[in-house]
Amino acid sequence: MSSLKYWLWLSSRKGLGGTGMLRLLEHFDAPERIYYADPEEYAQVESLSQMARRELRSKNLEGADRVLEDCQRLGLRIMTIQDSDYPERLHQLPDPPCVLYIQGRLPVMDEEAAIGVVGTREPTLYGQRMAARLGVELARGGAVVVSGIARGLDAAAIRGALRAGGRVVSVLGGGTDVYYPREHRGLYQDVAAAGALVTEYPPGTENKGSHFPIRNRIISGLSLGVVAVECALHSGTMLTMDRALDQDRDLFAVPGMVGEPKSEGTNRLIQQGAKLVTCGEDILVEYRDRFPVKLFREHPMSEQVERQRLEGLTRQKAQEQAKEEPPAPEPDRTAQEDPRELVPRQEQSSRFTDDELDILRALGDKRRSADELVELTQIPVRRVTSALTMLQVRSAVEEGPGRRFASKVRLEP
């Protein structure tokens, strides 16, 4: 850990940037030698700005020690460009990040068919559905889904991959402990549990607009290919696709309606040579020969077919259960004679978590399976299962035949 503080000191020098750090490392080999070098030695390194040289003369390590303490407290790993498991895909970039902060477990990215999924923060319903569908199908096919975690299509793709039980990597424009947007705190936790949060920025760093173009080179850098789902012609997504092209990554794009502003960017990408994709298989087929063990064929399913599949599984489970015990009659719950406990609005947040409340609302006065609740709430399977267990412990939900659940309470609107 002692050597890490020199990495943190070096990465916090203003006016240096990634390329400046690389020049210093090429000249001195290690951050400790940079720290203890005489000021005159810095003049031997080409293209260092006056600000960078002035910053290098400051030997205060308090900030680095503070970041180390924060990382220990938050359970973050600090990965440096000289670590043996640093991704070679990032090494190949002209401006690779020299220090990364990682929460969760980063897959061995050089051995994975990692696909970046990017798009607008203000998508249409079509864009949301396509991003979620790609996330589901890529994850089911064995790919690692890489994206940001902002509102819109980043979050839709990540949620889709999580819903499918896949592995995900979200690259951040701030510290792992600074949730952006705030309502995505649960999503941050889910990503860290199923994969990794990755950032160049130390704990406590706010998400600034200037950080995101810098962040985007890591999204494309970790990926074999990047798919744009929906974006305007002049947008951050198009800049990300430009970086991906510069990095010699494969480009994919989802076609959109002609004349729709949010589809102008993706349609232009297709005109310029990006592969048109309508499902995850259109992307996976490009890499199956290179990753025959990692990737397997997953037939894309429409929402209607997927719904029918879930309903069929539910009916099958119910029929199997019915052979062993007679089905319990559906309760007669009229508005006038509902025997369930009414939970006043002001007590709901103190009695139940957000996930539990979403599940209770989805149940209403019906019996539903866990698969149906996942579909209705868009909450990952792991959290739905956990919430159902706690609701049963508190006698707020009961499990019936066919593993269908019913609420024993009513929420005041």
Side-chain angles (χ1 to χ4, degrees):
M1 289 292 287
S2 60
S3 64
L4 283 176
K5 66 181 178 181
Y6 298 109
W7 281 102
L8 300 182
W9 167 81
L10 181 61
S11 64
S12 65
R13 300 304 89 188
K14 295 178 182 179
L16 198 55
T19 54
M21 288 181 64
L22 287 178
R23 291 193 194 99
L24 286 166
L25 289 169
E26 288 172 1
H27 186 86
F28 292 99
D29 295 328
E32 294 98 321
R33 295 185 61 183
I34 300 172
Y35 180 83
Y36 287 108
D38 293 329
E40 293 76 17
E41 293 183 75
Y42 300 140
Q44 300 173 19
V45 181
E46 295 182 2
S47 303
L48 283 185
S49 66
Q50 290 298 323
M51 176 185 289
R53 293 176 184 177
R54 186 167 58 252
E55 285 280 309
L56 290 168
R57 295 189 189 100
S58 173
K59 307 299 182 180
N60 191 326
L61 291 173
E62 291 181 4
D65 289 333
R66 185 166 56 251
V67 171
L68 275 176
E69 292 174 2
D70 289 339
C71 289
Q72 289 177 324
R73 173 175 54 84
L74 296 168
L76 305 185
R77 177 192 173 182
I78 302 172
M79 176 183 282
T80 77
I81 196 170
Q82 292 183 347
D83 288 346
S84 60
D85 57 348
Y86 183 91
E88 180 60 29
R89 291 177 189 171
L90 294 182
H91 259 303
Q92 296 169 356
L93 305 185
D95 52 351
C98 291
V99 175
L100 290 173
Y101 302 88
I102 301 170
Q103 184 174 0
R105 185 173 181 179
L106 183 68
V108 182
M109 299 302 291
D110 298 326
E111 299 176 2
E112 300 290 346
I115 305 299
V117 184
V118 295
T120 178
R121 296 186 186 183
E122 299 178 354
T124 64
L125 182 58
Y126 164 75
Q128 289 179 312
R129 287 176 175 172
M130 284 303 301
R133 177 179 178 177
L134 287 173
V136 168
E137 293 177 353
L138 288 170
R140 283 180 179 167
V144 174
V145 175
V146 183
S147 190
I149 201 169
R151 292 186 184 94
L153 298 187
D154 283 13
I158 290 295
R159 287 193 174 103
L162 289 171
R163 204 172 86 209
R167 293 166 300 160
V168 293
V169 175
S170 283
V171 187
L172 312 179
T176 62
D177 58 335
V178 181
Y179 307 114
Y180 179 79
R182 289 187 178 182
E183 60 266 26
H184 282 187
R185 177 171 184 165
L187 188 56
Y188 271 63
Q189 295 168 348
D190 289 337
V191 169
L197 298 166
V198 177
T199 181
E200 284 183 276
Y201 302 100
T205 304
E206 295 293 332
N207 294 266
K208 298 179 180 179
S210 59
H211 292 177
F212 292 102
I214 301 171
R215 172 208 66 169
N216 292 344
R217 83 190 194 287
I218 302 178
I219 292 178
S220 54
L222 288 171
S223 306
L224 290 174
V226 184
V227 53
V229 179
E230 199 174 49
C231 65
L233 196 55
H234 304 288
S235 62
T237 298
M238 291 294 281
L239 292 176
T240 303
M241 300 302 282
D242 286 342
R243 292 303 297 268
L245 185 62
D246 292 340
Q247 296 166 356
D248 199 26
R249 301 310 191 244
D250 297 325
L251 302 189
F252 305 92
V254 176
M257 183 183 297
V258 174
E260 167 57 53
K262 295 287 172 41
S263 295
E264 288 181 350
T266 52
N267 289 343
R268 177 65 62 83
L269 287 167
I270 293 168
Q271 287 180 325
Q272 294 174 342
K275 180 179 178 178
L276 185 155
V277 298
T278 61
C279 60
E281 176 62 18
D282 290 340
I283 300 171
L284 295 172
V285 70
E286 299 290 331
Y287 305 107
R288 195 164 283 121
D289 289 343
R290 290 171 57 184
F291 299 90
V293 177
K294 295 280 186 178
L295 301 182
F296 48 90
R297 191 172 299 279
E298 175 73 19
H299 294 293
M301 292 180 288
S302 66
E303 293 182 10
Q304 181 179 1
V305 173
E306 174 71 356
R307 192 179 301 112
Q308 290 172 349
R309 183 185 73 86
L310 291 174
E311 290 173 354
L313 290 174
T314 301
R315 283 195 298 271
Q316 181 181 354
K317 290 179 183 177
Q319 290 168 358
E320 292 173 355
Q321 188 75 19
K323 295 178 182 178
E324 302 176 5
E325 57 179 301
E330 290 285 342
D332 180 17
R333 293 172 178 167
T334 63
Q336 294 80 10
E337 299 179 357
D338 193 328
R340 298 176 299 168
E341 176 194 358
L342 177 65
V343 181
R345 188 185 305 108
Q346 63 269 23
E347 296 181 12
Q348 292 172 13
S349 60
S350 61
R351 288 184 57 175
F352 304 108
T353 66
D354 290 343
D355 283 354
E356 291 167 354
L357 287 171
D358 286 344
I359 287 171
L360 290 172
R361 293 187 187 103
L363 285 170
D365 60 356
K366 300 182 183 299
R367 289 187 180 273
R368 300 189 186 278
S369 67
D371 285 336
E372 290 172 317
L373 291 172
V374 170
E375 187 73 20
L376 288 169
T377 62
Q378 296 296 296
I379 299 173
V381 174
R382 178 180 58 84
R383 282 166 48 191
V384 167
T385 304
S386 175
L388 283 171
T389 299
M390 295 308 300
L391 287 169
Q392 290 179 81
V393 169
R394 294 202 289 270
S395 298
V397 161
E398 63 180 0
E399 181 181 343
R403 290 191 58 77
R404 296 177 70 82
F405 299 88
S407 174
K408 297 175 70 176
V409 300
R410 288 186 295 136
L411 300 178
E412 182 184 27

